[in-house]
Amino acid sequence: MNRREFLITSSAAAGLLALPRFASAAAGTIDLYSGSDANIVDLWNNVIRPAFEKAHPGVGLKVTDAGDNNGLRAIADRALAALKTKTDPQADLFEQFDPRLPSGGIDAGLWVKFSAENIEGYDHINPLALDTPYSLPYRGSQVLLAYDNTKLDPKDAPKSWDQLTAWIKANPGQFIYNRPDKGGSGGNFVRRAIHEVNGRDPKKFKVDNFTADSATEALAPAWKILSDLAPSLYDKGAYTSGNTQSIQLLAQGVVTMVPVWSDQVLQAIAQGVLPETTGLVQLGDLALCGGFSSITVFSNGANKDAALKLAAFMLTKDMQEAIITQIGGFPAVSWDHISDDLRKKYADVIPSTIPTFPSGDWEKAINDGWYRSVAPGISRT
């Protein structure tokens, strides 16, 4: 697949599955909703689903793109209401969701609690990936900086936030990131600015410690930094419409450096979308955000037992290695449960730390604040 085909196919797939389906799944069919990019939906449909259905005859899997986190939250709200009325939530499993939402869901018993008792392979999970027992990590990724090493010598690639912002200003027009509500690569570049002005301490931000006053205090200094950078960006303050478009501009040589998801950029290099001369670097003072995508299973789902089988299936060696080979992601299990060849091949991108940032009200405040304070002339549509 060439660059043009890759970029067009990714965009088309994202649009094709834009709306969540609210009809009840067929009996014996797991109803899974995803809030991830098109490449992850493709992974579930083209790799995971056929492998799972072959391993579990009689059990089906239907994958639906919920569009984004807001789409998943709407379904979760519906499921919590269904729990109270003891009715069918019309959903069994989420791919990529924080079970702390909706508020009160955990206390009400909305989510299955995972452990070695109900998930085979649970003890193989990388400790870095574990967050809450109500989410089961199955893949990881992190935002990196990708650059054209024919234009930027690897020894000069920025390795700290100060070096990065200095490079952007010294090379006007050669850096761009996407709008924070249109993709995680740009969104986590914005969050790195927020971490920078808050003592580089990701622990200050939690899904349950948001207040409007704390958000104003924490975010305002970051808007000042990003506004100051804007005139030095591509086209004196342009922003891409998503992760894929940032990769496209780098592939075309329009810019020299962009923030990228580790899985997407490794896949793009492997497919020839980006050349072998693409360099990758991570900031050493505090890495850009990333994290492990997790499975959450509804306790009141009609196919809960089958959904738990699927969750365990994702921790098998075959599926964990598919995460690496098919999408360039990080496995959720410790790397000593991965084959030696793959462990050696990806040694340079195995993370030692992955800063995270909560979603929920923080996400809305960041998106609203960025448009209002950094890019007031940019339409949100």
Side-chain angles (χ1 to χ4, degrees):
M1 181 179 290
N2 62 34
R3 297 178 188 179
R4 178 175 173 78
E5 291 170 337
F6 172 82
L7 296 165
I8 291 176
T9 300
S10 295
S11 299
L16 185 63
L17 297 172
L19 296 175
R21 178 181 58 81
F22 289 100
S24 179
T29 298
I30 302 167
D31 204 1
L32 178 152
Y33 287 92
S34 172
S36 297
D37 289 328
N39 65 321
I40 303 302
V41 175
D42 288 345
L43 175 75
W44 278 93
N45 275 318
N46 301 332
V47 178
I48 298 170
R49 181 173 57 82
F52 176 73
E53 291 179 348
K54 181 179 180 181
H56 296 84
V59 180
L61 172 61
K62 183 169 183 62
V63 179
T64 302
D65 187 348
D68 56 17
N69 189 63
N70 288 331
L72 292 178
R73 285 194 68 175
I75 299 169
D77 287 340
R78 184 189 70 201
L80 182 57
L83 181 68
K84 295 175 181 177
T85 59
K86 298 182 179 180
T87 54
D88 184 1
Q90 301 176 23
D92 298 304
L93 183 148
F94 274 173
E95 182 277 330
Q96 180 65 326
F97 190 71
D98 188 336
R100 297 176 183 86
L101 302 171
S103 179
I106 290 177
D107 290 341
L110 180 62
W111 308 108
V112 170
K113 186 175 183 179
F114 299 108
S115 69
E117 294 181 1
N118 59 5
I119 297 293
E120 185 177 356
Y122 188 85
D123 56 344
H124 292 176
I125 295 174
N126 186 338
L128 279 176
L130 292 171
D131 176 29
T132 163
Y134 299 96
S135 62
L136 186 79
Y138 82 97
R139 65 177 174 90
S141 59
Q142 187 168 15
V143 174
L144 311 168
L145 298 171
Y147 63 94
D148 181 347
N149 69 19
T150 67
K151 298 179 181 179
L152 174 61
D153 192 311
K155 67 179 177 58
D156 297 324
K159 296 178 176 62
S160 69
W161 178 257
D162 286 344
Q163 289 177 10
L164 174 59
T165 54
W167 183 90
I168 292 171
K169 291 180 179 180
N171 296 272
Q174 293 302 303
F175 186 89
I176 195 168
Y177 65 93
N178 64 259
R179 289 175 277 167
D181 62 333
K182 302 299 182 182
S185 60
N188 283 335
F189 175 78
V190 170
R191 284 159 174 77
R192 179 59 184 83
I194 295 169
H195 281 155
E196 183 67 16
V197 298
N198 286 276
R200 300 178 192 158
D201 184 5
K203 294 180 181 179
K204 286 185 177 181
F205 301 91
K206 300 177 181 179
V207 73
D208 57 358
N209 75 347
F210 174 89
T211 65
D213 289 343
S214 65
T216 298
E217 181 180 355
L219 303 183
W223 304 150
K224 183 177 180 180
I225 286 179
L226 295 171
S227 296
D228 184 52
L229 285 178
S232 300
L233 301 180
Y234 174 70
D235 201 23
K236 298 181 180 180
Y239 305 91
T240 65
S241 60
N243 303 313
T244 297
Q245 191 182 19
S246 295
I247 290 176
Q248 182 179 20
L249 292 182
L250 181 63
Q252 294 173 344
V254 176
V255 295
T256 300
M257 182 184 294
V258 294
V260 292
W261 279 111
S262 56
D263 54 350
Q264 289 185 330
V265 72
L266 290 172
Q267 186 179 43
I269 294 171
Q271 293 179 342
V273 176
L274 287 170
E276 294 292 335
T277 52
T278 302
L280 299 174
V281 66
Q282 182 57 274
L283 300 184
D285 51 353
L286 178 67
L288 280 80
C289 283
F292 286 85
S293 296
S294 298
I295 288 168
T296 47
V297 172
F298 289 99
S299 65
N300 57 335
N303 298 289
K304 180 182 73 173
D305 291 342
L308 287 172
K309 290 181 180 179
L310 175 59
F313 183 73
M314 291 310 303
L315 296 182
T316 63
K317 184 177 181 181
D318 285 348
M319 289 299 98
Q320 288 296 290
E321 293 193 349
I323 296 297
I324 304 171
T325 59
Q326 298 295 319
I327 60 169
F330 301 142
V333 299
S334 298
W335 282 83
D336 55 0
H337 295 290
I338 300 299
S339 65
D340 290 342
D341 288 346
L342 283 176
R343 190 163 60 248
K344 292 175 182 177
K345 181 177 180 179
Y346 291 96
D348 290 342
V349 296
I350 295 176
S352 57
T353 61
I354 301 184
T356 59
F357 207 104
S359 54
D361 292 330
W362 281 110
E363 182 176 13
K364 183 178 186 304
I366 289 170
N367 293 339
D368 291 348
W370 184 87
Y371 277 101
R372 183 174 58 251
S373 302
V374 180
I378 302 291
S379 171
R380 297 191 71 158
T381 59

